[in-house]
Amino acid sequence: MNKRLFSIGLALLLGAGYGVTAFAQAKPEVLVKQRVAVMILHGKYWGPLSGMNQGKVPYNAEIVARNAGFLDALSQMPWDGFQPSTKDQKTNALPAIYENPAKFKEAQDRYRGAIGKLVAASKGGDEGAFKAAAGEVGKSCGGCHESFREKL
Amino acid sequence: MNKRLFSIGLALLLGAGYGVTAFAQAKPEVLVKQRVAVMILHGKYWGPLSGMNQGKVPYNAEIVARNAGFLDALSQMPWDGFQPSTKDQKTNALPAIYENPAKFKEAQDRYRGAIGKLVAASKGGDEGAFKAAAGEVGKSCGGCHESFREKL
C-alpha cells in the first residue's frame, strides 16, 4: 500500500493525471490552509508520541499504533501544497523550498522513511523499538523545519 | 486494523487510557483548531471524489484509492475534539452535539461505515462501485452537517 501510495505521489509530483490539474487550480491561500491543517494534526498525533519518547507521558502501545497509522497518512499530505504560487502568502515556509527542491524532496523522503519505520515498530508493541523509531522521526522533522521553515 | 482502531476509539470515548487525559488537558481553542483542520483536509481529499461522483471531474482510480485511504484516517479524527469545553468557542458546531450524544454517535458511525465501503470499493478500480459508495458517503456527511452544524 505504502509503495503504491508513494508511486501515486510521485506521479502527481511528476505532473501526471487529474491531481496536478486540481492542484494547479487550487488557490494559493487554500493550499496554505491545507498545509497548516496537516501541521496542526501532526501536533495532535505526534505530540503524545514525542511525550512518550521523552518519558513525559506513559507509554501506551495502542495510542502509539493508532497515531502512527494517522501519521502515515498525514506525512503524505503536505507536499503537493508547496507550490510556487504560495510564495507571497503569509507563511513560515522559506523560499529555499523552491530554490532547492531536490534537498526539500530529500528531507521529505527521510521523514517519510522514518514514519514507515515508526509504523512497523508500533505493530510489535515494544517500547524500546518504538523509542528508537520515534527518535528517528523527531530528527527527521528537523530536515524541513531547520532548513525550510522560518525560525519560530 | 479498522476494527482495532475502532476499539481504541471506543476505549478513548469511554474514558480509558492516556488519550483521555490528554484530551481533558487540551485547551478548547486547540480542540476546535484540530477539528477545523480535519474538515479542511476532508475538503482536499473528498472534494475531488465528490467531483468524480458528479461527473464534473474525470474518474481516476489511483486518486480514488489514495484519497479513500486518507479519508479512512481523517474520518476517525474529529470526534474526540467535540468536548463540552468547546461549547463557548466560535464554531459552527451546534449544542445538539452535547444534548444528543447518542444521535451524534450514530451519525459518526454511519459516516465511518460509508467510508469503509468507499475504501473497499476503491480497491477494485471499478467506477460504478466507486460511485455507489461515494453516493453513500455524500449522504452520510449530512448526518452531522444537517443536524449538528449551523446552516452555512
Side-chain angles (χ1 to χ4, degrees):
Chain A
M1 184 66 168
N2 278 344
K3 204 169 165 190
R4 192 168 169 217
L5 285 173
F6 179 77
S7 309
I8 296 169
L10 200 64
L12 290 173
L13 280 171
L14 295 175
Y18 156 74
V20 165
T21 316
F23 300 140
Q25 289 168 343
K27 289 181 189 165
E29 60 270 28
V30 172
L31 292 172
V32 171
K33 264 175 70 171
Q34 291 168 340
R35 276 163 24 191
V36 170
V38 176
M39 290 300 129
I40 287 170
L41 293 172
H42 268 80
K44 181 175 181 185
Y45 295 109
W46 171 245
L49 303 199
S50 174
M52 288 183 207
N53 186 36
Q54 294 169 62
K56 292 180 187 166
V57 170
Y59 173 71
N60 180 318
E62 288 199 340
I63 298 285
V64 166
R66 187 200 64 166
N67 288 19
F70 288 166
L71 289 165
D72 189 31
L74 291 168
S75 62
Q76 298 174 65
M77 294 182 185
W79 317 118
D80 58 29
F82 290 97
Q83 301 282 338
S85 66
T86 63
K87 270 187 194 173
D88 298 330
Q89 297 292 308
K90 203 181 157 231
T91 106
N92 296 315
L94 293 176
I97 288 169
Y98 311 104
E99 288 158 8
N100 200 341
K103 198 182 159 203
F104 186 50
K105 181 70 174 57
E106 250 176 51
Q108 297 170 26
D109 290 345
R110 194 169 144 228
Y111 173 56
R112 283 283 302 141
I115 289 287
K117 286 182 191 163
L118 180 72
V119 170
S122 78
K123 286 183 179 148
D126 180 73
E127 186 171 355
F130 156 70
K131 287 196 169 178
E136 285 307 307
V137 171
K139 274 184 229 162
S140 73
C141 295
C144 290
H145 290 175
E146 278 159 27
S147 305
F148 298 102
R149 188 180 69 171
E150 218 162 288
K151 296 281 170 277
L152 298 180
Chain B
M1 184 66 170
N2 279 344
K3 205 168 166 191
R4 193 170 167 216
L5 286 174
F6 179 76
S7 309
I8 297 170
L10 201 64
L12 290 174
L13 280 173
L14 295 175
Y18 157 74
V20 165
T21 316
F23 299 141
Q25 290 167 344
K27 289 181 189 164
E29 60 270 28
V30 172
L31 292 172
V32 170
K33 264 175 70 173
Q34 291 169 340
R35 277 165 21 193
V36 171
V38 176
M39 290 302 128
I40 288 170
L41 293 172
H42 267 81
K44 181 175 180 185
Y45 295 109
W46 171 246
L49 303 199
S50 174
M52 288 183 207
N53 186 36
Q54 294 169 62
K56 292 180 187 165
V57 170
Y59 173 70
N60 180 317
E62 288 200 340
I63 299 285
V64 166
R66 187 200 65 165
N67 288 18
F70 287 167
L71 289 166
D72 189 31
L74 292 168
S75 62
Q76 298 174 65
M77 294 183 185
W79 317 118
D80 57 29
F82 290 97
Q83 301 282 338
S85 66
T86 61
K87 271 187 195 173
D88 298 330
Q89 297 292 309
K90 203 181 157 230
T91 105
N92 296 316
L94 292 177
I97 288 169
Y98 311 103
E99 289 158 5
N100 200 341
K103 197 183 159 203
F104 186 50
K105 182 70 173 59
E106 251 176 52
Q108 295 169 29
D109 291 346
R110 193 169 144 228
Y111 173 56
R112 282 284 301 142
I115 289 288
K117 285 180 192 165
L118 179 72
V119 170
S122 78
K123 285 183 178 147
D126 179 74
E127 186 172 355
F130 155 70
K131 288 196 169 178
E136 285 306 308
V137 171
K139 276 184 226 161
S140 74
C141 295
C144 289
H145 289 175
E146 279 161 27
S147 305
F148 298 102
R149 187 180 70 170
E150 219 162 285
K151 298 279 170 280
L152 297 181

